[in-house]
Amino acid sequence: MNSRHNTVVVINFGAQYAQLIARRVREAHIFSTIMPYFVPVEEIVELKPSAIILSGGPASVFETTAPQLNKDILDLGIPILGICYGFQAIAQSVGGSVEHNDIAEYGRTKIEVTDPTSSLFLNQPISQEVWMSHRDTVAKLPESFTVTAKSPVAAIVAFENKERSIYATQWHPEVVHTPYGQRTLETFLYDIAKCEPTWMPDEIIEQQVASITKEVSDSHVLCGLSGGVDSTVAAAIVHKAVGDQLTCVFVDNGLLRENEKEQVISAFAETEHIDLHVEDAREEFLEALKNITDPETKRKVIGNAFIRAFERASKKVAQQKHIKGFDYLVQGTLYPDVVESGDQTGTSVIKSHHNVGGLPDDMEFKLIEPLRDLFKDEVRNIGALLGIDDKILWRHPFPGPGLAVRIIGEVTEDRLKILATADRIVTEELNDAGVDRSLWQCPVVLLADVRSVGIQGDARTYGHPVVIRPVTSQDAMTADWAKLDYELLSKISSRITNEIHEITRVVLDITSKPPASIEWE
Ligand code: XMP
């Protein structure tokens, strides 16, 4: 995003930590952008930030490979908040001393604010719980710095220098386990750095619409829809900007959840009157998947089939519209993808996007990525403002290769139908119990190559098991298995075995990630 007043730069000493801080700043309605710790100071200055936050990180300042804080940042005259690793990096840079401590502090800790005049802890309790994660400790600071808090094992866990507008905490204000954390961040942002809360969903939409309208002019734009929240919201923004110059393509690969295609048609074509082309490729996907059981081969075959179908669809649509082709492609890239791919420079190449499946080299497009600056929760807020149905906005992530990677064994039409039904039952029950939003995902997996004995009525049966895999997660990098209520599990189990004759057993997956991945294949 271009330079703007009211930007907070988060200096990245460890991606996960920096992203969480950036999100919390956005929750305070202030635009934040993450920059790597080695960024030249001129690039920071160019953004004219109102504040800078130095993130935590996994390293110790003593490691030779530890990311270094560029001292010049401290002399910019821009208010600075250092967190955890950032706290220690500042202390070291200003001539303080950091020492290894025999006792580490991990998790909930009670700290005491030792200087009630501290600007950062204004109107906060003297004694409060915070979330700590450190072994190194700041032992000494130059006189110009005031110590503002202590913990049971460390005499210095917060400090400030009002003249230089430098503030720091050893603990993590950005995590939910620090009850006054968001208040601390907001005090820093509003009272100390004088930021204004201007980052609002309607403003984001307006800015994007204006810039896409200008960029696209009278060219034609193509968007591959996956049925998920990102591509849906991206398409809706672009449609607001360029109307009928946008064509959406939805490839029906036959590997979808029940009613998914109908929901997409209803949300796009019927409600929003967006030009939507549905490419029916069910048979060719099934044909390509015949006799294939290896997960990676499945993915490859599906990726190739997608490219063929998408290319064919785009040619058909171009012909119908009497145009030579499409100049732009919409992608639902989110900010975490940008940060994690290390591509924070603003330029982008087509990467093999999970849900679009990768495109052939000879299909050349310029990219439009309206969500490139946004986190998932912001995308949902914007989607709601654009009138997108909650059912789509709160849909769990779904893998590009769809149900194919949830059938252990060969993918056939019958098996797809069985799995889609089981998946629908689980979705219905999770929705009815009101727990779907607390889960990241709940894949249902059909062990098609396994059979187990059952008794249905008076007869002995020999059907397949399904596995349900409810997980909680922040970002799918790690996940925990969700402790769903027994009554709910019991209802899911009896509905699946009652309503699907071929299923004789329901199994619960109780493995975290790592060691197991979320999907079975
Ligand atoms: P795993 O199974 O690796 O999954 O723990 C992490 C997240 O990624 C999703 N996933 C995929 N998404 N194409 C996708 O678009 C894929 O091939 C794919 N494989 C896994 C998975 O659903 C989970 O959210």
Side-chain angles (χ1 to χ4, degrees):
M1 191 141 294
N2 296 332
S3 74
R4 53 169 68 235
H5 181 62
N6 236 6
T7 290
V8 172
V9 168
V10 179
I11 301 288
N12 189 354
F13 289 104
Q16 303 293 323
Y17 305 85
Q19 283 191 40
L20 191 52
I21 296 167
R23 270 175 53 194
R24 296 289 178 243
V25 174
R26 305 269 188 103
E27 278 166 25
H29 301 293
I30 299 157
F31 180 70
S32 58
T33 191
I34 300 172
M35 296 184 124
Y37 66 90
F38 50 80
V39 69
V41 171
E42 304 78 65
E43 282 185 34
I44 301 177
V45 173
E46 219 170 278
L47 289 179
K48 301 193 181 78
S50 318
I52 296 172
I53 302 182
L54 311 179
S55 84
S60 154
V61 286
F62 294 115
E63 287 168 21
T64 44
T65 52
Q68 295 297 312
L69 166 65
N70 183 339
K71 281 187 192 170
D72 294 346
I73 292 177
L74 303 180
D75 295 324
L76 292 174
I78 299 169
I80 289 180
L81 175 66
I83 293 173
C84 194
Y85 184 88
F87 165 90
Q88 296 181 359
I90 295 175
Q92 212 181 32
S93 292
V94 299
S97 66
V98 181
E99 291 175 358
H100 278 304
N101 204 345
D102 289 339
I103 309 168
E105 272 182 315
Y106 291 114
R108 260 179 244 283
T109 307
K110 221 168 202 158
I111 59 103
E112 194 180 312
V113 175
T114 49
D115 179 1
T117 66
S118 152
S119 321
L120 202 55
F121 310 119
L122 211 63
N123 302 324
Q124 287 189 26
I126 294 291
S127 167
Q128 52 174 283
E129 259 188 10
V130 300
W131 191 261
M132 288 279 195
S133 175
H134 72 119
R135 178 170 284 279
D136 299 343
T137 307
V138 172
K140 217 168 154 230
L141 284 165
E143 267 181 17
S144 53
F145 283 76
T146 310
V147 176
T148 52
K150 65 175 185 187
S151 80
V153 306
I156 306 177
V157 290
F159 61 76
E160 65 189 40
N161 180 327
K162 280 190 185 137
E163 272 102 78
R164 293 178 68 186
S165 207
I166 296 175
Y167 300 79
T169 64
Q170 174 66 75
W171 65 88
H172 289 275
E174 75 277 21
V175 305
V176 289
H177 313 290
T178 300
Y180 284 90
Q182 187 68 11
R183 165 94 75 92
T184 305
L185 286 176
E186 289 180 6
T187 302
F188 171 70
L189 296 167
Y190 297 143
D191 301 337
I192 295 171
K194 310 287 180 217
C195 294
E196 300 277 339
T198 52
W199 181 250
M200 300 289 179
D202 52 348
E203 195 210 345
I204 303 169
I205 297 173
E206 239 169 70
Q207 276 173 10
Q208 281 300 330
V209 168
S211 95
I212 294 167
T213 310
K214 189 160 163 240
E215 155 101 37
V216 170
S217 181
D218 54 3
S219 302
H220 293 276
V221 187
L222 188 63
C223 176
L225 289 180
S226 70
V229 50
D230 305 340
S231 65
T232 303
V233 175
I237 294 177
V238 176
H239 184 250
K240 207 169 155 66
V242 302
D244 284 349
Q245 286 160 258
L246 169 73
T247 306
C248 290
V249 168
F250 180 74
V251 174
D252 181 3
N253 57 13
L255 310 171
L256 308 168
R257 285 165 286 193
E258 228 180 76
N259 282 328
E260 190 155 18
K261 180 175 76 180
E262 290 73 17
Q263 272 181 23
V264 169
I265 294 175
S266 148
F268 279 79
E270 289 159 13
T271 316
E272 295 296 327
H273 306 291
I274 293 178
D275 189 6
L276 172 69
H277 175 88
V278 178
E279 183 69 11
D280 184 353
R282 285 174 296 179
E283 276 187 21
E284 63 192 90
F285 273 80
L286 266 185
E287 190 56 37
L289 283 164
K290 241 186 198 150
N291 298 322
I292 292 176
T293 52
D294 174 62
E296 274 313 302
T297 317
K298 271 185 194 170
R299 278 198 162 74
K300 224 171 262 159
V301 160
I302 292 168
N304 290 338
F306 179 87
I307 290 170
R308 281 197 303 275
F310 191 76
E311 201 170 16
R312 187 175 66 232
S314 79
K315 282 188 183 144
K316 267 191 219 165
V317 176
Q319 254 177 6
Q320 281 162 11
K321 292 195 139 186
H322 306 292
I323 57 173
K324 260 193 20 231
F326 291 90
D327 312 282
Y328 288 91
L329 180 75
V330 181
Q331 274 207 171
T333 318
L334 300 190
Y335 193 48
D337 305 329
V338 177
V339 178
E340 269 151 33
S341 67
D343 169 26
Q344 288 180 251
T345 54
T347 53
S348 178
V349 286
I350 294 181
K351 59 177 183 173
S352 59
H353 191 269
H354 263 347
N355 293 323
V356 178
L359 292 171
D361 296 340
D362 60 353
M363 276 184 100
E364 277 195 11
F365 295 108
K366 285 177 257 177
L367 288 186
I368 300 179
E369 299 176 301
L371 314 178
R372 207 184 141 80
D373 282 322
L374 305 179
F375 290 105
K376 192 93 168 181
D377 38 357
E378 294 176 307
V379 172
R380 289 207 172 102
N381 289 339
I382 284 175
L385 211 64
L386 288 166
I388 293 166
D389 195 334
D390 262 9
K391 275 207 192 89
I392 293 181
L393 289 184
W394 286 95
R395 201 170 239 184
H396 290 166
F398 188 63
L403 298 180
V405 290
R406 294 179 179 174
I407 293 175
I408 312 306
E410 190 191 353
V411 177
T412 66
E413 201 172 353
D414 290 344
R415 290 171 170 183
L416 283 166
K417 203 156 171 247
I418 294 170
L419 181 54
T421 310
D423 176 78
R424 191 243 309 144
I425 293 171
V426 171
T427 307
E428 281 171 3
E429 291 303 326
L430 295 177
N431 279 330
D432 278 0
V435 297
D436 56 312
R437 290 191 190 183
S438 65
L439 297 182
W440 172 264
Q441 264 173 308
C442 185
V444 182
V445 184
L446 176 65
L447 305 187
D449 283 349
V450 178
R451 291 186 141 212
S452 98
V453 175
I455 305 163
Q456 281 167 335
D458 286 334
R460 188 174 182 278
T461 53
Y462 199 40
H464 300 287
V466 288
V467 179
I468 54 176
R469 170 126 180 83
V471 290
T472 55
S473 174
Q474 291 288 325
D475 50 17
M477 308 279 278
T478 59
D480 197 5
W481 63 279
K483 283 78 184 171
L484 291 181
D485 178 63
Y486 282 172
E487 286 300 316
L488 170 61
L489 288 170
S490 160
K491 198 158 171 217
I492 288 174
S493 166
S494 45
R495 271 199 67 193
I496 289 179
T497 45
N498 285 341
E499 294 174 37
I500 311 172
H501 181 69
E502 294 84 350
I503 306 290
T504 42
R505 204 170 285 267
V506 177
V507 178
L508 179 66
D509 185 341
I510 53 166
T511 333
S512 61
K513 172 184 178 175
S517 52
I518 295 176
E519 303 290 346
W520 267 48
E521 284 200 334

